[in-house]
PDB file of all heavy atoms in Angstrom:
ATOM      1  N   GLN A 223      92.583  33.700 204.296  1.00 84.00           N
ATOM      2  CA  GLN A 223      91.325  33.481 203.591  1.00 84.00           C
ATOM      3  C   GLN A 223      90.788  32.077 203.837  1.00 84.00           C
ATOM      4  O   GLN A 223      89.573  31.888 204.027  1.00 84.00           O
ATOM      5  CB  GLN A 223      91.532  33.723 202.089  1.00 84.00           C
ATOM      6  CG  GLN A 223      91.811  35.181 201.736  1.00 84.00           C
ATOM      7  CD  GLN A 223      92.115  35.362 200.255  1.00 84.00           C
ATOM      8  OE1 GLN A 223      92.268  34.383 199.530  1.00 84.00           O
ATOM      9  NE2 GLN A 223      92.198  36.609 199.819  1.00 84.00           N
ATOM     10  N   SER A 224      91.675  31.072 203.839  1.00 83.00           N
ATOM     11  CA  SER A 224      91.233  29.703 204.101  1.00 83.00           C
ATOM     12  C   SER A 224      90.661  29.577 205.511  1.00 83.00           C
ATOM     13  O   SER A 224      89.639  28.918 205.729  1.00 83.00           O
ATOM     14  CB  SER A 224      92.407  28.738 203.917  1.00 83.00           C
ATOM     15  OG  SER A 224      92.923  28.813 202.603  1.00 83.00           O
ATOM     16  N   ARG A 225      91.319  30.211 206.476  1.00 84.00           N
ATOM     17  CA  ARG A 225      90.831  30.148 207.840  1.00 84.00           C
ATOM     18  C   ARG A 225      89.457  30.795 207.968  1.00 84.00           C
ATOM     19  O   ARG A 225      88.561  30.289 208.657  1.00 84.00           O
ATOM     20  CB  ARG A 225      91.822  30.838 208.773  1.00 84.00           C
ATOM     21  CG  ARG A 225      91.481  30.666 210.251  1.00 84.00           C
ATOM     22  CD  ARG A 225      92.377  31.505 211.146  1.00 84.00           C
ATOM     23  NE  ARG A 225      93.764  31.141 210.971  1.00 84.00           N
ATOM     24  CZ  ARG A 225      94.679  31.951 210.428  1.00 84.00           C
ATOM     25  NH1 ARG A 225      94.301  33.151 209.984  1.00 84.00           N
ATOM     26  NH2 ARG A 225      95.919  31.561 210.333  1.00 84.00           N
ATOM     27  N   ARG A 226      89.267  31.916 207.311  1.00 85.00           N
ATOM     28  CA  ARG A 226      87.967  32.583 207.355  1.00 85.00           C
ATOM     29  C   ARG A 226      86.885  31.748 206.674  1.00 85.00           C
ATOM     30  O   ARG A 226      85.725  31.710 207.136  1.00 85.00           O
ATOM     31  CB  ARG A 226      88.076  33.955 206.699  1.00 85.00           C
ATOM     32  CG  ARG A 226      88.912  34.949 207.507  1.00 85.00           C
ATOM     33  CD  ARG A 226      88.959  36.299 206.843  1.00 85.00           C
ATOM     34  NE  ARG A 226      89.714  37.268 207.646  1.00 85.00           N
ATOM     35  CZ  ARG A 226      89.954  38.523 207.265  1.00 85.00           C
ATOM     36  NH1 ARG A 226      89.508  38.958 206.090  1.00 85.00           N
ATOM     37  NH2 ARG A 226      90.645  39.324 208.055  1.00 85.00           N
ATOM     38  N   ALA A 227      87.243  31.091 205.558  1.00 84.00           N
ATOM     39  CA  ALA A 227      86.257  30.246 204.886  1.00 84.00           C
ATOM     40  C   ALA A 227      85.811  29.094 205.792  1.00 84.00           C
ATOM     41  O   ALA A 227      84.622  28.750 205.850  1.00 84.00           O
ATOM     42  CB  ALA A 227      86.840  29.708 203.579  1.00 84.00           C
ATOM     43  N   VAL A 228      86.772  28.515 206.493  1.00 83.00           N
ATOM     44  CA  VAL A 228      86.428  27.433 207.429  1.00 83.00           C
ATOM     45  C   VAL A 228      85.515  27.954 208.535  1.00 83.00           C
ATOM     46  O   VAL A 228      84.541  27.297 208.935  1.00 83.00           O
ATOM     47  CB  VAL A 228      87.711  26.824 208.016  1.00 83.00           C
ATOM     48  CG1 VAL A 228      87.394  25.852 209.151  1.00 83.00           C
ATOM     49  CG2 VAL A 228      88.506  26.108 206.926  1.00 83.00           C
ATOM     50  N   GLU A 229      85.793  29.142 209.043  1.00 85.00           N
ATOM     51  CA  GLU A 229      84.950  29.720 210.092  1.00 85.00           C
ATOM     52  C   GLU A 229      83.532  29.972 209.591  1.00 85.00           C
ATOM     53  O   GLU A 229      82.542  29.715 210.302  1.00 85.00           O
ATOM     54  CB  GLU A 229      85.573  31.022 210.583  1.00 85.00           C
ATOM     55  CG  GLU A 229      86.892  30.823 211.339  1.00 85.00           C
ATOM     56  CD  GLU A 229      87.508  32.150 211.745  1.00 85.00           C
ATOM     57  OE1 GLU A 229      86.944  33.200 211.366  1.00 85.00           O
ATOM     58  OE2 GLU A 229      88.545  32.126 212.445  1.00 85.00           O
ATOM     59  N   ILE A 230      83.410  30.463 208.339  1.00 86.00           N
ATOM     60  CA  ILE A 230      82.074  30.730 207.780  1.00 86.00           C
ATOM     61  C   ILE A 230      81.280  29.442 207.622  1.00 86.00           C
ATOM     62  O   ILE A 230      80.103  29.365 207.982  1.00 86.00           O
ATOM     63  CB  ILE A 230      82.211  31.475 206.433  1.00 86.00           C
ATOM     64  CG1 ILE A 230      82.772  32.888 206.670  1.00 86.00           C
ATOM     65  CG2 ILE A 230      80.864  31.554 205.716  1.00 86.00           C
ATOM     66  CD1 ILE A 230      83.092  33.635 205.393  1.00 86.00           C
ATOM     67  N   GLU A 231      81.933  28.404 207.083  1.00 83.00           N
ATOM     68  CA  GLU A 231      81.238  27.131 206.906  1.00 83.00           C
ATOM     69  C   GLU A 231      80.839  26.532 208.268  1.00 83.00           C
ATOM     70  O   GLU A 231      79.762  25.949 208.408  1.00 83.00           O
ATOM     71  CB  GLU A 231      82.132  26.149 206.147  1.00 83.00           C
ATOM     72  CG  GLU A 231      82.408  26.543 204.703  1.00 83.00           C
ATOM     73  CD  GLU A 231      81.141  26.554 203.865  1.00 83.00           C
ATOM     74  OE1 GLU A 231      80.188  25.803 204.202  1.00 83.00           O
ATOM     75  OE2 GLU A 231      81.079  27.301 202.875  1.00 83.00           O
ATOM     76  N   THR A 232      81.690  26.705 209.230  1.00 85.00           N
ATOM     77  CA  THR A 232      81.376  26.187 210.565  1.00 85.00           C
ATOM     78  C   THR A 232      80.161  26.885 211.155  1.00 85.00           C
ATOM     79  O   THR A 232      79.260  26.259 211.738  1.00 85.00           O
ATOM     80  CB  THR A 232      82.584  26.361 211.494  1.00 85.00           C
ATOM     81  OG1 THR A 232      83.712  25.663 210.933  1.00 85.00           O
ATOM     82  CG2 THR A 232      82.291  25.805 212.878  1.00 85.00           C
ATOM     83  N   LEU A 233      80.098  28.205 210.989  1.00 84.00           N
ATOM     84  CA  LEU A 233      78.954  28.955 211.504  1.00 84.00           C
ATOM     85  C   LEU A 233      77.667  28.583 210.786  1.00 84.00           C
ATOM     86  O   LEU A 233      76.589  28.490 211.406  1.00 84.00           O
ATOM     87  CB  LEU A 233      79.227  30.460 211.372  1.00 84.00           C
ATOM     88  CG  LEU A 233      80.360  31.017 212.261  1.00 84.00           C
ATOM     89  CD1 LEU A 233      80.607  32.484 211.941  1.00 84.00           C
ATOM     90  CD2 LEU A 233      80.011  30.838 213.733  1.00 84.00           C
ATOM     91  N   GLN A 234      77.751  28.373 209.470  1.00 84.00           N
ATOM     92  CA  GLN A 234      76.559  27.972 208.719  1.00 84.00           C
ATOM     93  C   GLN A 234      76.058  26.599 209.172  1.00 84.00           C
ATOM     94  O   GLN A 234      74.847  26.381 209.323  1.00 84.00           O
ATOM     95  CB  GLN A 234      76.867  27.958 207.227  1.00 84.00           C
ATOM     96  CG  GLN A 234      77.069  29.353 206.632  1.00 84.00           C
ATOM     97  CD  GLN A 234      77.389  29.290 205.161  1.00 84.00           C
ATOM     98  OE1 GLN A 234      77.625  28.215 204.594  1.00 84.00           O
ATOM     99  NE2 GLN A 234      77.401  30.460 204.518  1.00 84.00           N
ATOM    100  N   ALA A 235      76.988  25.664 209.382  1.00 82.00           N
ATOM    101  CA  ALA A 235      76.576  24.333 209.854  1.00 82.00           C
ATOM    102  C   ALA A 235      75.933  24.421 211.235  1.00 82.00           C
ATOM    103  O   ALA A 235      74.931  23.749 211.524  1.00 82.00           O
ATOM    104  CB  ALA A 235      77.789  23.405 209.884  1.00 82.00           C
ATOM    105  N   GLN A 236      76.509  25.279 212.102  1.00 82.00           N
ATOM    106  CA  GLN A 236      75.916  25.447 213.424  1.00 82.00           C
ATOM    107  C   GLN A 236      74.523  26.055 213.339  1.00 82.00           C
ATOM    108  O   GLN A 236      73.626  25.696 214.106  1.00 82.00           O
ATOM    109  CB  GLN A 236      76.830  26.326 214.280  1.00 82.00           C
ATOM    110  CG  GLN A 236      78.149  25.660 214.655  1.00 82.00           C
ATOM    111  CD  GLN A 236      79.052  26.595 215.431  1.00 82.00           C
ATOM    112  OE1 GLN A 236      78.759  27.783 215.573  1.00 82.00           O
ATOM    113  NE2 GLN A 236      80.154  26.044 215.939  1.00 82.00           N
ATOM    114  N   ALA A 237      74.320  26.974 212.381  1.00 82.00           N
ATOM    115  CA  ALA A 237      73.005  27.591 212.219  1.00 82.00           C
ATOM    116  C   ALA A 237      71.964  26.575 211.758  1.00 82.00           C
ATOM    117  O   ALA A 237      70.774  26.665 212.126  1.00 82.00           O
ATOM    118  CB  ALA A 237      73.098  28.737 211.218  1.00 82.00           C
ATOM    119  N   GLU A 238      72.358  25.584 210.950  1.00 81.00           N
ATOM    120  CA  GLU A 238      71.419  24.561 210.494  1.00 81.00           C
ATOM    121  C   GLU A 238      71.151  23.515 211.583  1.00 81.00           C
ATOM    122  O   GLU A 238      70.046  22.962 211.673  1.00 81.00           O
ATOM    123  CB  GLU A 238      71.982  23.880 209.247  1.00 81.00           C
ATOM    124  CG  GLU A 238      72.081  24.817 208.034  1.00 81.00           C
ATOM    125  CD  GLU A 238      72.689  24.124 206.839  1.00 81.00           C
ATOM    126  OE1 GLU A 238      73.075  22.941 206.975  1.00 81.00           O
ATOM    127  OE2 GLU A 238      72.799  24.765 205.769  1.00 81.00           O
ATOM    128  N   VAL A 239      72.133  23.247 212.391  1.00 80.00           N
ATOM    129  CA  VAL A 239      71.978  22.215 213.414  1.00 80.00           C
ATOM    130  C   VAL A 239      71.213  22.729 214.621  1.00 80.00           C
ATOM    131  O   VAL A 239      70.484  21.973 215.291  1.00 80.00           O
ATOM    132  CB  VAL A 239      73.365  21.679 213.833  1.00 80.00           C
ATOM    133  CG1 VAL A 239      73.265  20.776 215.055  1.00 80.00           C
ATOM    134  CG2 VAL A 239      74.008  20.930 212.674  1.00 80.00           C
ATOM    135  N   GLU A 240      71.319  23.997 214.904  1.00 82.00           N
ATOM    136  CA  GLU A 240      70.719  24.545 216.118  1.00 82.00           C
ATOM    137  C   GLU A 240      69.196  24.344 216.176  1.00 82.00           C
ATOM    138  O   GLU A 240      68.660  23.939 217.226  1.00 82.00           O
ATOM    139  CB  GLU A 240      71.075  26.015 216.245  1.00 82.00           C
ATOM    140  CG  GLU A 240      70.754  26.625 217.585  1.00 82.00           C
ATOM    141  CD  GLU A 240      71.521  25.970 218.713  1.00 82.00           C
ATOM    142  OE1 GLU A 240      72.649  25.476 218.459  1.00 82.00           O
ATOM    143  OE2 GLU A 240      71.009  25.953 219.846  1.00 82.00           O
ATOM    144  N   PRO A 241      68.430  24.612 215.090  1.00 80.00           N
ATOM    145  CA  PRO A 241      66.978  24.350 215.157  1.00 80.00           C
ATOM    146  C   PRO A 241      66.658  22.887 215.425  1.00 80.00           C
ATOM    147  O   PRO A 241      65.693  22.563 216.144  1.00 80.00           O
ATOM    148  CB  PRO A 241      66.471  24.800 213.782  1.00 80.00           C
ATOM    149  CG  PRO A 241      67.498  25.782 213.309  1.00 80.00           C
ATOM    150  CD  PRO A 241      68.787  25.282 213.819  1.00 80.00           C
ATOM    151  N   LEU A 242      67.449  21.970 214.842  1.00 77.00           N
ATOM    152  CA  LEU A 242      67.214  20.552 215.070  1.00 77.00           C
ATOM    153  C   LEU A 242      67.437  20.195 216.531  1.00 77.00           C
ATOM    154  O   LEU A 242      66.697  19.396 217.125  1.00 77.00           O
ATOM    155  CB  LEU A 242      68.122  19.710 214.172  1.00 77.00           C
ATOM    156  CG  LEU A 242      67.904  19.893 212.657  1.00 77.00           C
ATOM    157  CD1 LEU A 242      68.901  19.048 211.872  1.00 77.00           C
ATOM    158  CD2 LEU A 242      66.474  19.522 212.274  1.00 77.00           C
ATOM    159  N   ARG A 243      68.461  20.793 217.119  1.00 81.00           N
ATOM    160  CA  ARG A 243      68.721  20.540 218.536  1.00 81.00           C
ATOM    161  C   ARG A 243      67.582  21.092 219.404  1.00 81.00           C
ATOM    162  O   ARG A 243      67.165  20.469 220.382  1.00 81.00           O
ATOM    163  CB  ARG A 243      70.043  21.187 218.948  1.00 81.00           C
ATOM    164  CG  ARG A 243      71.280  20.499 218.357  1.00 81.00           C
ATOM    165  CD  ARG A 243      72.538  21.192 218.808  1.00 81.00           C
ATOM    166  NE  ARG A 243      73.727  20.483 218.315  1.00 81.00           N
ATOM    167  CZ  ARG A 243      74.968  20.912 218.513  1.00 81.00           C
ATOM    168  NH1 ARG A 243      75.178  22.048 219.187  1.00 81.00           N
ATOM    169  NH2 ARG A 243      75.979  20.214 218.041  1.00 81.00           N
ATOM    170  N   ALA A 244      67.086  22.254 219.035  1.00 79.00           N
ATOM    171  CA  ALA A 244      65.970  22.827 219.798  1.00 79.00           C
ATOM    172  C   ALA A 244      64.722  21.953 219.681  1.00 79.00           C
ATOM    173  O   ALA A 244      63.989  21.730 220.663  1.00 79.00           O
ATOM    174  CB  ALA A 244      65.691  24.244 219.294  1.00 79.00           C
ATOM    175  N   LEU A 245      64.453  21.433 218.454  1.00 75.00           N
ATOM    176  CA  LEU A 245      63.311  20.554 218.254  1.00 75.00           C
ATOM    177  C   LEU A 245      63.448  19.262 219.063  1.00 75.00           C
ATOM    178  O   LEU A 245      62.483  18.772 219.662  1.00 75.00           O
ATOM    179  CB  LEU A 245      63.169  20.232 216.767  1.00 75.00           C
ATOM    180  CG  LEU A 245      62.013  19.306 216.375  1.00 75.00           C
ATOM    181  CD1 LEU A 245      60.662  19.917 216.802  1.00 75.00           C
ATOM    182  CD2 LEU A 245      62.026  19.037 214.881  1.00 75.00           C
ATOM    183  N   ALA A 246      64.679  18.724 219.077  1.00 78.00           N
ATOM    184  CA  ALA A 246      64.904  17.503 219.850  1.00 78.00           C
ATOM    185  C   ALA A 246      64.657  17.752 221.329  1.00 78.00           C
ATOM    186  O   ALA A 246      64.077  16.910 222.034  1.00 78.00           O
ATOM    187  CB  ALA A 246      66.327  17.006 219.623  1.00 78.00           C
ATOM    188  N   GLY A 247      65.043  18.915 221.822  1.00 79.00           N
ATOM    189  CA  GLY A 247      64.791  19.237 223.221  1.00 79.00           C
ATOM    190  C   GLY A 247      63.311  19.345 223.524  1.00 79.00           C
ATOM    191  O   GLY A 247      62.839  18.883 224.576  1.00 79.00           O
ATOM    192  N   GLN A 248      62.560  19.958 222.602  1.00 76.00           N
ATOM    193  CA  GLN A 248      61.111  20.063 222.803  1.00 76.00           C
ATOM    194  C   GLN A 248      60.447  18.689 222.806  1.00 76.00           C
ATOM    195  O   GLN A 248      59.530  18.424 223.616  1.00 76.00           O
ATOM    196  CB  GLN A 248      60.510  20.941 221.708  1.00 76.00           C
ATOM    197  CG  GLN A 248      60.944  22.401 221.790  1.00 76.00           C
ATOM    198  CD  GLN A 248      60.380  23.227 220.650  1.00 76.00           C
ATOM    199  OE1 GLN A 248      59.667  22.691 219.775  1.00 76.00           O
ATOM    200  NE2 GLN A 248      60.679  24.520 220.651  1.00 76.00           N
ATOM    201  N   LEU A 249      60.860  17.798 221.908  1.00 74.00           N
ATOM    202  CA  LEU A 249      60.275  16.459 221.861  1.00 74.00           C
ATOM    203  C   LEU A 249      60.557  15.689 223.143  1.00 74.00           C
ATOM    204  O   LEU A 249      59.705  14.933 223.627  1.00 74.00           O
ATOM    205  CB  LEU A 249      60.811  15.700 220.649  1.00 74.00           C
ATOM    206  CG  LEU A 249      60.401  16.264 219.280  1.00 74.00           C
ATOM    207  CD1 LEU A 249      61.050  15.470 218.151  1.00 74.00           C
ATOM    208  CD2 LEU A 249      58.876  16.256 219.121  1.00 74.00           C
ATOM    209  N   GLN A 250      61.766  15.879 223.677  1.00 77.00           N
ATOM    210  CA  GLN A 250      62.072  15.206 224.932  1.00 77.00           C
ATOM    211  C   GLN A 250      61.183  15.714 226.067  1.00 77.00           C
ATOM    212  O   GLN A 250      60.731  14.936 226.921  1.00 77.00           O
ATOM    213  CB  GLN A 250      63.540  15.409 225.290  1.00 77.00           C
ATOM    214  CG  GLN A 250      64.503  14.646 224.377  1.00 77.00           C
ATOM    215  CD  GLN A 250      65.949  14.891 224.732  1.00 77.00           C
ATOM    216  OE1 GLN A 250      66.243  15.733 225.592  1.00 77.00           O
ATOM    217  NE2 GLN A 250      66.848  14.177 224.058  1.00 77.00           N
ATOM    218  N   GLU A 251      60.890  16.999 226.087  1.00 75.00           N
ATOM    219  CA  GLU A 251      60.010  17.549 227.109  1.00 75.00           C
ATOM    220  C   GLU A 251      58.575  17.018 226.956  1.00 75.00           C
ATOM    221  O   GLU A 251      57.883  16.720 227.933  1.00 75.00           O
ATOM    222  CB  GLU A 251      60.015  19.079 227.032  1.00 75.00           C
ATOM    223  CG  GLU A 251      61.338  19.714 227.435  1.00 75.00           C
ATOM    224  CD  GLU A 251      61.642  19.486 228.903  1.00 75.00           C
ATOM    225  OE1 GLU A 251      60.682  19.383 229.700  1.00 75.00           O
ATOM    226  OE2 GLU A 251      62.840  19.401 229.266  1.00 75.00           O
ATOM    227  N   LEU A 252      58.128  16.903 225.674  1.00 72.00           N
ATOM    228  CA  LEU A 252      56.790  16.357 225.429  1.00 72.00           C
ATOM    229  C   LEU A 252      56.690  14.902 225.867  1.00 72.00           C
ATOM    230  O   LEU A 252      55.666  14.452 226.406  1.00 72.00           O
ATOM    231  CB  LEU A 252      56.429  16.484 223.950  1.00 72.00           C
ATOM    232  CG  LEU A 252      56.166  17.908 223.442  1.00 72.00           C
ATOM    233  CD1 LEU A 252      55.956  17.891 221.931  1.00 72.00           C
ATOM    234  CD2 LEU A 252      54.931  18.507 224.131  1.00 72.00           C
ATOM    235  N   LYS A 253      57.732  14.154 225.641  1.00 73.00           N
ATOM    236  CA  LYS A 253      57.726  12.741 225.983  1.00 73.00           C
ATOM    237  C   LYS A 253      57.579  12.545 227.483  1.00 73.00           C
ATOM    238  O   LYS A 253      57.024  11.551 227.956  1.00 73.00           O
ATOM    239  CB  LYS A 253      59.010  12.090 225.488  1.00 73.00           C
ATOM    240  CG  LYS A 253      59.035  10.583 225.674  1.00 73.00           C
ATOM    241  CD  LYS A 253      60.298  10.000 225.068  1.00 73.00           C
ATOM    242  CE  LYS A 253      60.317   8.490 225.243  1.00 73.00           C
ATOM    243  NZ  LYS A 253      61.553   7.894 224.660  1.00 73.00           N
ATOM    244  N   LYS A 254      58.097  13.513 228.255  1.00 74.00           N
ATOM    245  CA  LYS A 254      57.976  13.409 229.701  1.00 74.00           C
ATOM    246  C   LYS A 254      56.534  13.593 230.190  1.00 74.00           C
ATOM    247  O   LYS A 254      56.212  13.218 231.316  1.00 74.00           O
ATOM    248  CB  LYS A 254      58.874  14.442 230.371  1.00 74.00           C
ATOM    249  CG  LYS A 254      60.357  14.217 230.133  1.00 74.00           C
ATOM    250  CD  LYS A 254      61.185  15.310 230.784  1.00 74.00           C
ATOM    251  CE  LYS A 254      62.678  15.119 230.511  1.00 74.00           C
ATOM    252  NZ  LYS A 254      63.475  16.192 231.129  1.00 74.00           N
ATOM    253  N   ASN A 255      55.659  14.179 229.377  1.00 74.00           N
ATOM    254  CA  ASN A 255      54.279  14.471 229.801  1.00 74.00           C
ATOM    255  C   ASN A 255      53.345  13.260 229.647  1.00 74.00           C
ATOM    256  O   ASN A 255      52.163  13.345 229.984  1.00 74.00           O
ATOM    257  CB  ASN A 255      53.716  15.650 229.014  1.00 74.00           C
ATOM    258  CG  ASN A 255      54.454  16.933 229.341  1.00 74.00           C
ATOM    259  OD1 ASN A 255      54.951  17.101 230.459  1.00 74.00           O
ATOM    260  ND2 ASN A 255      54.558  17.834 228.373  1.00 74.00           N
ATOM    261  N   GLY A 256      53.845  12.212 229.046  1.00 72.00           N
ATOM    262  CA  GLY A 256      52.995  11.032 228.919  1.00 72.00           C
ATOM    263  C   GLY A 256      53.208  10.311 227.607  1.00 72.00           C
ATOM    264  O   GLY A 256      53.814  10.854 226.675  1.00 72.00           O
ATOM    265  N   ALA A 257      52.668   9.091 227.506  1.00 70.00           N
ATOM    266  CA  ALA A 257      52.869   8.278 226.296  1.00 70.00           C
ATOM    267  C   ALA A 257      52.093   8.827 225.114  1.00 70.00           C
ATOM    268  O   ALA A 257      52.470   8.616 223.963  1.00 70.00           O
ATOM    269  CB  ALA A 257      52.485   6.836 226.571  1.00 70.00           C
ATOM    270  N   ASN A 258      50.941   9.509 225.366  1.00 73.00           N
ATOM    271  CA  ASN A 258      50.129  10.034 224.263  1.00 73.00           C
ATOM    272  C   ASN A 258      50.536  11.434 223.812  1.00 73.00           C
ATOM    273  O   ASN A 258      49.909  12.001 222.916  1.00 73.00           O
ATOM    274  CB  ASN A 258      48.649  10.044 224.696  1.00 73.00           C
ATOM    275  CG  ASN A 258      48.135   8.656 225.010  1.00 73.00           C
ATOM    276  OD1 ASN A 258      48.549   7.682 224.350  1.00 73.00           O
ATOM    277  ND2 ASN A 258      47.246   8.532 225.985  1.00 73.00           N
ATOM    278  N   ALA A 259      51.521  12.013 224.433  1.00 74.00           N
ATOM    279  CA  ALA A 259      51.903  13.393 224.099  1.00 74.00           C
ATOM    280  C   ALA A 259      52.519  13.465 222.713  1.00 74.00           C
ATOM    281  O   ALA A 259      52.156  14.327 221.903  1.00 74.00           O
ATOM    282  CB  ALA A 259      52.851  13.944 225.158  1.00 74.00           C
ATOM    283  N   LEU A 260      53.418  12.538 222.416  1.00 72.00           N
ATOM    284  CA  LEU A 260      54.093  12.602 221.114  1.00 72.00           C
ATOM    285  C   LEU A 260      53.134  12.302 219.968  1.00 72.00           C
ATOM    286  O   LEU A 260      53.145  13.011 218.951  1.00 72.00           O
ATOM    287  CB  LEU A 260      55.275  11.620 221.100  1.00 72.00           C
ATOM    288  CG  LEU A 260      56.522  12.058 221.898  1.00 72.00           C
ATOM    289  CD1 LEU A 260      57.598  10.979 221.819  1.00 72.00           C
ATOM    290  CD2 LEU A 260      57.058  13.370 221.351  1.00 72.00           C
ATOM    291  N   PRO A 261      52.291  11.272 220.026  1.00 76.00           N
ATOM    292  CA  PRO A 261      51.330  11.061 218.934  1.00 76.00           C
ATOM    293  C   PRO A 261      50.404  12.255 218.732  1.00 76.00           C
ATOM    294  O   PRO A 261      50.077  12.603 217.588  1.00 76.00           O
ATOM    295  CB  PRO A 261      50.556   9.814 219.384  1.00 76.00           C
ATOM    296  CG  PRO A 261      51.523   9.084 220.257  1.00 76.00           C
ATOM    297  CD  PRO A 261      52.275  10.135 220.981  1.00 76.00           C
ATOM    298  N   ALA A 262      49.986  12.916 219.802  1.00 76.00           N
ATOM    299  CA  ALA A 262      49.132  14.095 219.660  1.00 76.00           C
ATOM    300  C   ALA A 262      49.889  15.235 218.975  1.00 76.00           C
ATOM    301  O   ALA A 262      49.341  15.949 218.128  1.00 76.00           O
ATOM    302  CB  ALA A 262      48.629  14.529 221.032  1.00 76.00           C
ATOM    303  N   TYR A 263      51.147  15.374 219.318  1.00 75.00           N
ATOM    304  CA  TYR A 263      51.976  16.432 218.697  1.00 75.00           C
ATOM    305  C   TYR A 263      52.141  16.155 217.206  1.00 75.00           C
ATOM    306  O   TYR A 263      52.006  17.065 216.363  1.00 75.00           O
ATOM    307  CB  TYR A 263      53.331  16.493 219.395  1.00 75.00           C
ATOM    308  CG  TYR A 263      54.309  17.439 218.722  1.00 75.00           C
ATOM    309  CD1 TYR A 263      54.216  18.821 218.910  1.00 75.00           C
ATOM    310  CD2 TYR A 263      55.308  16.944 217.892  1.00 75.00           C
ATOM    311  CE1 TYR A 263      55.089  19.665 218.275  1.00 75.00           C
ATOM    312  CE2 TYR A 263      56.190  17.798 217.248  1.00 75.00           C
ATOM    313  CZ  TYR A 263      56.085  19.168 217.446  1.00 75.00           C
ATOM    314  OH  TYR A 263      56.966  20.015 216.809  1.00 75.00           O
ATOM    315  N   LEU A 264      52.414  14.871 216.852  1.00 75.00           N
ATOM    316  CA  LEU A 264      52.581  14.518 215.438  1.00 75.00           C
ATOM    317  C   LEU A 264      51.277  14.728 214.669  1.00 75.00           C
ATOM    318  O   LEU A 264      51.279  15.152 213.510  1.00 75.00           O
ATOM    319  CB  LEU A 264      53.036  13.061 215.321  1.00 75.00           C
ATOM    320  CG  LEU A 264      54.448  12.765 215.858  1.00 75.00           C
ATOM    321  CD1 LEU A 264      54.741  11.258 215.773  1.00 75.00           C
ATOM    322  CD2 LEU A 264      55.476  13.542 215.047  1.00 75.00           C
ATOM    323  N   ARG A 265      50.122  14.435 215.304  1.00 76.00           N
ATOM    324  CA  ARG A 265      48.841  14.649 214.624  1.00 76.00           C
ATOM    325  C   ARG A 265      48.617  16.114 214.345  1.00 76.00           C
ATOM    326  O   ARG A 265      48.167  16.486 213.256  1.00 76.00           O
ATOM    327  CB  ARG A 265      47.714  14.091 215.506  1.00 76.00           C
ATOM    328  CG  ARG A 265      46.328  14.198 214.884  1.00 76.00           C
ATOM    329  CD  ARG A 265      45.281  13.810 215.885  1.00 76.00           C
ATOM    330  NE  ARG A 265      45.355  14.711 217.046  1.00 76.00           N
ATOM    331  CZ  ARG A 265      44.659  14.507 218.166  1.00 76.00           C
ATOM    332  NH1 ARG A 265      43.889  13.427 218.305  1.00 76.00           N
ATOM    333  NH2 ARG A 265      44.759  15.363 219.165  1.00 76.00           N
TER     334      ARG A 265
END
């Protein structure tokens, strides 16, 4: 039961972190398009 609880918590943490990682990847791609890309995205 303890092992399964650890696995569940690990999967939940991965589910919360994954969108942040995807967002960080998108921001890095936007930054490559120019200096004004990120301010336009934030606006």
Side-chain angles (χ1 to χ4, degrees):
Q223 292 176 352
S224 301
R225 187 187 300 113
R226 291 182 178 177
V228 171
E229 292 177 356
I230 292 173
E231 293 296 333
T232 301
L233 293 175
Q234 290 179 351
Q236 291 177 352
E238 294 178 357
V239 170
E240 192 62 29
L242 298 178
R243 290 180 176 177
L245 180 59
Q248 293 177 359
L249 294 177
Q250 290 179 353
E251 292 294 330
L252 290 174
K253 186 176 181 180
K254 295 178 182 179
N255 294 330
N258 299 325
L260 285 179
Y263 173 78
L264 293 176
R265 182 188 60 189

